[in-house]
Amino acid sequence: MEGGAVSGQCTRPEQPQQRLTLLPLVAFCVAISLAASMTTLYIYDLWYAQKIVAVDLKGYIAQQRDNYLAGKLNDDELKRSFDHLERIITTIPRNRVVIMGDAVVRNAETIKP
């Protein structure tokens, strides 16, 4: 009878060792899951999430008008400055909502050409 009791005790110590071998696997799975989630959120924010951008068109046009009237710009330079404004506006990514700079109260990215 004593032999049967001893053999029953030998099988129990294997369970804690089995838990120790599963711990690195569980930690690895959690790390991979966190990395995938963070990468997905970063890519979503960068490429898909809508963001509001303000463009100060009124201020830019007023500045160019003042420079032209003061003789600081000639006709060709004025045309190039408006071409520059057009290039800036067309290069704004599609996930940006563009509003006039006059409408912004605060906390919006403002593009000043």
Side-chain angles (χ1 to χ4, degrees), residues 3-74:
V6 172
S7 66
Q9 292 175 353
C10 290
T11 57
R12 287 195 172 195
E14 292 179 15
Q15 277 185 327
Q17 187 173 3
Q18 184 181 10
R19 287 183 192 159
L20 290 177
T21 58
L22 286 179
L23 187 61
L25 180 64
V26 170
F28 179 73
C29 290
V30 168
I32 293 295
S33 177
L34 284 173
S37 297
M38 289 172 36
T39 303
T40 302
L41 286 174
Y42 176 76
I43 290 172
Y44 174 78
D45 182 60
L46 188 67
W47 292 95
Y48 299 108
Q50 292 289 319
K51 295 182 176 90
I52 297 175
V53 176
V55 177
D56 187 19
L57 287 176
K58 187 175 179 181
Y60 183 75
I61 291 171
Q63 179 187 16
Q64 297 306 312
R65 181 192 67 220
D66 293 344
N67 289 341
Y68 182 74
L69 292 176
K72 295 178 182 177
L73 295 176
N74 60 26

Side-chain angles (χ1 to χ4, degrees), residues 60 64 72-88 113:
Y60 183 75
Q64 297 306 312
K72 295 178 182 177
L73 295 176
N74 60 26
D75 292 340
D76 290 334
E77 291 172 336
L78 183 64
K79 184 180 181 324
R80 276 184 273 157
S81 71
F82 285 121
D83 289 342
H84 173 71
L85 175 65
E86 183 181 5
R87 277 193 308 274
I88 288 175

Side-chain angles (χ1 to χ4, degrees), residues 52-56 97-104 108:
I52 297 175
V53 176
V55 177
D56 187 19
V97 176
V98 181
I99 61 174
M100 294 287 289
D102 298 342
V104 174

